[in-house]
Amino acid sequence: MKRKALVMGGGGIIGIAWETGLAAGLSANGLDLRTADLVVGTSAGSVVGTQLAHGFDPAQMLALQQLDMPGTGVSISQLNTGGTAAIFAKWFSATEMSEELCKEIGCMALELETMPEESWLSIFAMLAMDWPERPLKITAVEASTGTFTVWDRESGAPLQLAVASSCTVPGLFPPVTINGRRYVDGGVRSATNADLATGYDSVLIIAPMGVGAEGIAMHTLRREVAQLRGAGTAVEVVQPDQQAMTAFGVDLMDTAGRKAAAAEGLRQGREWAQRLAAIWG
């Protein structure tokens, strides 16, 4: 039997909404992402991927995205200030991501004062549950060393903390403490980390970031796709189209854009379902 992997990439609050809408649109048209043999989640994708790995109904997930919710207390406008701007300049100007560069970014994040860690973790209270039986890999970076870390049910990290660590955008949110060490966003290493799906017969990559740009996110995604295809894996990549990108706006942390992003994901899911049937069915 062919094995299939689902890779869910990062993209902030807007990315969570779009990925959720996409999953709902696909499901409504006969393509169920919950049947993945492996789910890889990075940042926003760790939230949606965890829900799908646990068997949550995509339609119900979408309904939650269509509700009003409080903000996280940060926005992309903070990139104009001091240390946060320096982190993002170093991160997104890179042409290749190395462990040493991850370390530099992680150490810069450790120096910045953001919201209290307890407040950040409370945002993920709905994920205070056991790891799912379905294989799930959540990515993070150990801040002081730059070491790429993959959390799973055998890693000893509570699921809630694993997801929170993967979502900790350096400079915006506090590094998450797990077993005495502090971790930041797995997206520092790669917005998708699709290489973790090596060895599977087919891989579906959902990637909210990198569209229309030649930055580190798109460069890394292309390399990961080439690596997988070179090993004989069938790969499909779904990204926001221009209509969706227009709905996203410039601030991927803006909760006001969630409903529009979810609606665009739903539309694209309906449009992509037939095309993806060959790789997923």
Side-chain angles (χ1 to χ4, degrees):
M1 180 180 295
K2 292 186 176 181
R3 299 193 308 156
K4 55 193 179 187
L6 172 66
V7 175
M8 307 290 286
I13 289 173
I14 297 299
I16 291 174
W18 177 79
E19 289 180 325
T20 301
L22 187 78
L26 292 171
S27 178
N29 287 268
L31 195 144
D32 191 350
L33 296 182
R34 295 173 295 179
T35 62
D37 298 296
L38 169 71
V39 178
V40 177
T42 294
S43 201
S46 72
V47 176
V48 183
T50 293
Q51 293 174 314
L52 292 172
H54 254 295
F56 287 20
D57 181 353
Q60 294 180 357
M61 291 164 57
L62 176 62
L64 291 176
Q65 289 297 320
Q66 293 168 334
L67 299 175
D68 293 328
M69 67 173 285
T72 60
V74 299
S75 74
I76 203 168
S77 64
Q78 287 186 259
L79 303 188
N80 297 321
T81 63
T84 303
I87 288 175
F88 275 71
K90 182 176 290 291
W91 185 1
F92 290 111
S93 65
T95 56
E96 293 286 347
M97 187 54 66
S98 65
E99 185 173 287
E100 183 59 33
L101 186 51
C102 287
K103 176 181 177 180
E104 291 182 40
I105 292 170
C107 288
M108 292 169 72
L110 290 171
E111 295 294 322
L112 291 183
E113 182 176 351
T114 58
M115 69 171 70
E117 187 174 345
E118 295 77 11
S119 299
W120 175 234
L121 294 179
S122 69
I123 295 173
F124 300 88
M126 68 172 292
L127 297 178
M129 60 182 73
D130 292 334
W131 284 83
E133 292 299 321
R134 186 174 302 278
L136 170 66
K137 296 181 179 182
I138 302 296
T139 67
V141 169
E142 204 277 308
S144 65
T145 64
T147 303
F148 181 53
T149 302
V150 181
W151 306 116
D152 58 24
R153 63 181 296 110
E154 307 300 329
S155 63
L159 180 58
Q160 178 185 2
L161 299 189
V163 175
S165 72
S166 189
C167 293
T168 295
V169 180
L172 292 185
F173 306 115
V176 171
T177 304
I178 301 177
N179 299 328
R181 296 185 175 274
R182 305 190 74 194
Y183 296 87
V184 294
D185 198 326
V188 173
R189 189 252 192 180
S190 165
T192 43
N193 292 296
D195 53 321
L196 292 178
T198 298
Y200 283 76
D201 299 291
S202 59
V203 177
L204 173 58
I205 303 173
I206 311 296
M209 294 184 66
V211 181
E214 289 303 318
I216 185 66
M218 199 64 205
H219 175 78
T220 304
L221 174 61
R222 287 198 187 105
R223 176 170 50 78
E224 292 168 354
V225 169
Q227 176 183 330
L228 290 167
R229 287 177 174 160
T233 300
V235 181
E236 284 279 6
V237 180
V238 181
Q239 294 187 283
D241 59 17
Q242 187 55 56
Q243 181 176 320
M245 292 295 293
T246 300
F248 285 10
V250 298
D251 190 347
L252 296 181
M253 301 307 298
D254 184 5
T255 58
R258 287 167 57 251
K259 295 180 183 179
E264 291 301 323
L266 181 65
R267 173 185 60 79
Q268 284 194 263
R270 290 168 172 162
E271 294 172 355
W272 273 83
Q274 184 174 359
R275 175 175 171 179
L276 296 177
I279 195 173
W280 205 253

